[in-house]
Amino acid sequence: MSGPVSAWVERITGFVLESGMDTFVLGPAGESARQVELFAEEVAPAVREAVREARSRPSRSGGASRLMSDM
């Protein structure tokens, strides 16, 4: 991926919420030290917060959502 931090946050948050992904591998290119620093200090915390906020909102159906494994 490339682009601003906000684009990374939006895309990765989508992977978490829509696909259930919970592990990501960073393969930096170019200025790898700076990319790792940005990911650790800005992207990862912002994704965690966005996921926490999204999961704390009531579901659109009005009922509690349950996983098949919970049934």
Side-chain angles (χ1 to χ4, degrees):
M1 270 188 328
S2 62
V5 167
S6 60
W8 283 59
V9 171
E10 183 177 336
R11 184 110 188 246
I12 294 172
T13 299
F15 291 148
V16 173
L17 296 173
E18 295 166 17
S19 302
M21 293 180 70
D22 63 0
T23 303
F24 300 90
V25 177
L26 177 64
E31 295 183 43
S32 59
R34 180 66 182 139
Q35 288 181 358
V36 170
E37 183 179 293
L38 277 173
F39 191 86
E41 293 178 359
E42 296 183 36
V43 175
V47 169
R48 284 188 205 105
E49 182 60 27
V51 169
R52 185 177 11 260
E53 286 179 15
R55 289 181 174 166
S56 69
R57 288 186 224 128
S59 67
R60 293 182 190 181
S61 64
S65 60
R66 292 177 37 170
L67 298 174
M68 291 298 290
S69 61
D70 292 340
M71 298 179 148

